[in-house]
Amino acid sequence: MAPWLQSLYVTDYTVPEKQYFDLLLGSFGPDVFLINISFPTGVLSVEECSARGFNILEHTFPGSIVKFFTLQVPFSDPSVLQKSEMGMIVFSLHVTFGLLVMPEFLQFSHMAYLEAKVAHTVSPSITGDCDKENFYILVTYGTQDFNFVTLVGKQALTPALAEEYDLMENGTHLSFSVPFSSLNVVYEAVKATSIRSRLDVTLMDPQSKYIIKQFSLSCTVIKTLTECFPNGTMTALAVKLDSVPSLNLSQLVLRDPSCGPAYSNDRLAYFVFTGSSCGTTRRFFGNVMLYENEISLPDELEMMKSEDEPEYELKVYCYYDINETHAVSFNARARRSEPYADDARGELQVEIRVASDDTYTRFHAAADYPVAKYLQEPVYFEVELKGTKLADVSLELDSCWATLDSNRLSQPRWNLVINGCANPVDPYQVIFHPVWVDERVHYPSHFKRFEVQMFAFAEDNDLSHQVFVHCDVVICDATKPQDGICDQLCSKKKIGIKSQRRAVSDHKLLHVLSGPILIIE
């Protein structure tokens, strides 16, 4: 018997957490060669083992003629057997090494059996779905108590954000819903009547920053980006796409570079123009008249962009049917007298409402009150002038304030709006929102919208108390804006409060009340 055959042994260096078997076979003289390895699933040559992903190496030591062979086999390979045992997964490997002694061509073999046990764990998983308004996310914790933080988009799921997203948790999983309008949602593509949005959710180890699981969900929501009005007015909404992260939406223009957005922020730009302005062209197709324009960056800014970002271009179309016929009958007679106008009194109605969110598309009904709001949660108010279709009439806020009951003169009182402007000493100042023409709003000057972060009075020790919001409003002639509170521009009001009060003294103030709003922790 060869002396090296007497010292032949197998050493198991397997570390179960690495998910592969690791063994050493030796020692051998220089005339011994590894030919093949037999597994329960079949016999593989050394070359076939390497091609299959096994790591086979031959080792020699400097100044020595002795050599060894090492073999690494992944637990996931079909040749590795698995079974469950007492909450553990047992991996086993049966191999037979086929060896050859040269030059005698003497064949011999050596068997080895290795076993490794790993705790049976299931990593957290993420699934999701969506409807017409929201993404719905479900995170399952798995079998092990993984320590991870959840990122929604690029933002950590903080308690405040969890509250906003209606998070629910029961010890085995958590679920939450994210509106399509959330800042953590990115826009991937736009079409004439839809937007494809994507929500990214990541589970990350808070210490090592290791990504445990990543999940992305894309959904298409029906959205009107272009509106065409009978008077020839056209509106278009441009949104920021994930593929052009450096795009500044305020720099977008129509074909006429002098026509920029009427309103823009980090996520959208809103354009208002007519069929005869801003480079809009007109074409005829049978009985249809087509108005076209496009939204893009000016040429000089487009050339400065990174080559990795695609060109931003949004087509705007409006179709009008020109083959509609309306029959009108009338009788003509000579005028008996010149027309004249009589002075008369009329009644205008002003209403204040609380919107569900900053889209101002849904409002709380009378049956919803008291409306429950958390501290520092935004509350969206809309004040509307009703009973008139005069475009030259405008509604202006003179003052708004909050009290603990419905009596406008009650104390304590906190001013929200003073002389049409946000209270300068308020740490969470009122935010005014622009009003645009849509299916419900025909005269934006008849509306005022503002946002208030919910607060509690320092004098109110019970945080579940109710709060009422009052507003005094004034009706103005929009054709003569330079008249006290009707001057609408807070930046121009350099005069004192007393002189401003005199400026509006000729106008009758109308009072509106909203509430109660229930403050909860």
Side-chain angles (χ1 to χ4, degrees), residues 194-319:
S194 65
I195 300 178
R196 189 172 77 239
S197 304
R198 188 185 78 243
L199 178 67
D200 299 323
V201 180
T202 304
L203 306 183
M204 183 178 68
D205 187 296
Q207 301 299 326
S208 65
K209 307 302 180 183
Y210 171 74
I211 302 300
I212 300 172
K213 186 72 68 175
Q214 287 182 310
F215 176 78
S216 294
L217 178 62
S218 295
C219 296
T220 299
V221 58
I222 302 301
K223 179 73 174 179
T224 301
L225 299 179
T226 302
E227 290 190 273
C228 311
F229 297 92
N231 65 354
T233 299
M234 303 166 62
T235 65
L237 186 68
V239 299
K240 189 167 187 175
L241 299 181
D242 189 41
S243 58
V244 283
S246 67
L247 178 64
N248 184 346
L249 292 172
S250 66
Q251 297 176 334
L252 292 175
V253 295
L254 293 163
R255 282 178 180 164
D256 183 346
S258 65
C259 295
Y263 171 79
S264 66
N265 57 25
D266 292 338
R267 290 173 61 82
L268 61 88
Y270 185 74
F271 292 81
V272 181
F273 56 102
T274 67
S276 59
S277 67
C278 298
T280 307
T281 58
R282 182 179 63 180
R283 290 189 291 165
F284 293 90
F285 297 93
N287 297 323
V288 174
M289 184 166 51
L290 169 65
Y291 287 90
E292 297 176 283
N293 211 314
E294 60 188 41
I295 299 171
S296 62
L297 278 176
D299 293 340
E300 61 273 14
L301 294 179
E302 186 67 43
M303 291 187 294
M304 297 170 58
K305 277 178 44 183
S306 169
E307 295 182 356
D308 297 333
E309 292 189 10
E311 181 179 354
Y312 189 96
E313 185 177 85
L314 180 63
K315 298 289 186 181
V316 182
Y317 301 97
C318 275
Y319 296 89

Side-chain angles (χ1 to χ4, degrees), residues 128-404:
D129 200 358
C130 55
D131 59 15
K132 296 179 180 179
E133 296 181 353
N134 300 294
F135 291 95
Y136 297 95
I137 301 298
L138 177 67
V139 178
T140 303
Y141 295 153
T143 56
Q144 183 174 335
D145 186 18
F146 282 87
N147 183 24
F148 63 83
V149 294
T150 304
L151 302 180
V152 182
K154 297 181 180 180
Q155 185 177 4
L157 188 59
T158 60
L161 199 60
E163 179 183 317
E164 180 182 344
Y165 291 162
D166 297 327
L167 183 141
M168 294 186 292
E169 194 269 343
N170 68 355
T172 61
H173 69 271
L174 62 87
S175 63
F176 55 91
S177 60
V178 180
F180 286 130
S181 58
S182 169
L183 296 178
N184 293 312
V185 174
V186 297
Y187 300 129
E188 292 187 314
V190 293
K191 293 185 178 180
T193 59
S194 65
I195 300 178
R196 189 172 77 239
S197 304
R198 188 185 78 243
L199 178 67
D200 299 323
V201 180
T202 304
L203 306 183
M204 183 178 68
D205 187 296
Q207 301 299 326
S208 65
K209 307 302 180 183
Y210 171 74
I211 302 300
I212 300 172
K213 186 72 68 175
Q214 287 182 310
F215 176 78
S216 294
L217 178 62
S218 295
C219 296
T220 299
V221 58
I222 302 301
K223 179 73 174 179
T224 301
L225 299 179
T226 302
E227 290 190 273
C228 311
F229 297 92
N231 65 354
T233 299
M234 303 166 62
T235 65
L237 186 68
V239 299
K240 189 167 187 175
L241 299 181
D242 189 41
S243 58
V244 283
S246 67
L247 178 64
N248 184 346
L249 292 172
S250 66
Q251 297 176 334
L252 292 175
V253 295
L254 293 163
R255 282 178 180 164
D256 183 346
S258 65
C259 295
Y263 171 79
S264 66
N265 57 25
D266 292 338
R267 290 173 61 82
L268 61 88
Y270 185 74
F271 292 81
V272 181
F273 56 102
T274 67
S276 59
S277 67
C278 298
T280 307
T281 58
R282 182 179 63 180
R283 290 189 291 165
F284 293 90
F285 297 93
N287 297 323
V288 174
M289 184 166 51
L290 169 65
Y291 287 90
E292 297 176 283
N293 211 314
E294 60 188 41
I295 299 171
S296 62
L297 278 176
D299 293 340
E300 61 273 14
L301 294 179
E302 186 67 43
M303 291 187 294
M304 297 170 58
K305 277 178 44 183
S306 169
E307 295 182 356
D308 297 333
E309 292 189 10
E311 181 179 354
Y312 189 96
E313 185 177 85
L314 180 63
K315 298 289 186 181
V316 182
Y317 301 97
C318 275
Y319 296 89
Y320 292 92
D321 190 347
I322 59 176
N323 197 31
E324 291 186 0
T325 302
H326 298 274
V328 179
S329 60
F330 63 93
N331 294 318
R333 69 179 184 181
R335 180 182 295 168
R336 297 177 180 177
S337 62
E338 291 298 319
Y340 64 94
D342 278 339
D343 292 335
R345 290 186 175 272
E347 183 174 338
L348 297 178
Q349 180 182 357
V350 179
E351 179 181 351
I352 186 171
R353 297 181 291 182
V354 176
S356 300
D357 52 40
D358 60 359
T359 63
Y360 290 92
T361 55
R362 293 181 300 169
F363 297 87
H364 291 288
D368 298 335
Y369 288 90
V371 176
K373 294 292 181 180
Y374 290 94
L375 281 174
Q376 296 188 350
E377 179 180 359
V379 186
Y380 303 97
F381 293 93
E382 178 181 270
V383 185
E384 179 185 359
L385 172 63
K386 294 188 171 184
T388 179
K389 295 182 179 180
L390 297 176
D392 292 338
V393 172
S394 70
L395 169 74
E396 303 301 333
L397 298 178
D398 175 61
S399 57
C400 295
W401 66 97
T403 62
L404 292 177

Side-chain angles (χ1 to χ4, degrees), residues 387-456:
T388 179
K389 295 182 179 180
L390 297 176
D392 292 338
V393 172
S394 70
L395 169 74
E396 303 301 333
L397 298 178
D398 175 61
S399 57
C400 295
W401 66 97
T403 62
L404 292 177
D405 59 51
S406 59
N407 183 354
R408 60 173 291 154
L409 301 177
S410 63
Q411 297 291 333
R413 159 180 171 151
W414 182 253
N415 291 324
L416 303 171
V417 177
I418 302 175
N419 298 300
C421 305
N423 183 358
V425 300
D426 191 341
Y428 301 101
Q429 288 193 1
V430 165
I431 299 174
F432 294 98
H433 291 276
V435 183
W436 310 110
V437 173
D438 57 27
E439 293 181 358
R440 186 174 66 88
V441 178
H442 299 289
Y443 305 100
S445 64
H446 294 182
F447 292 79
K448 279 291 179 288
R449 291 172 177 170
F450 61 95
E451 170 187 341
V452 176
Q453 281 198 338
M454 202 62 251
F455 64 92

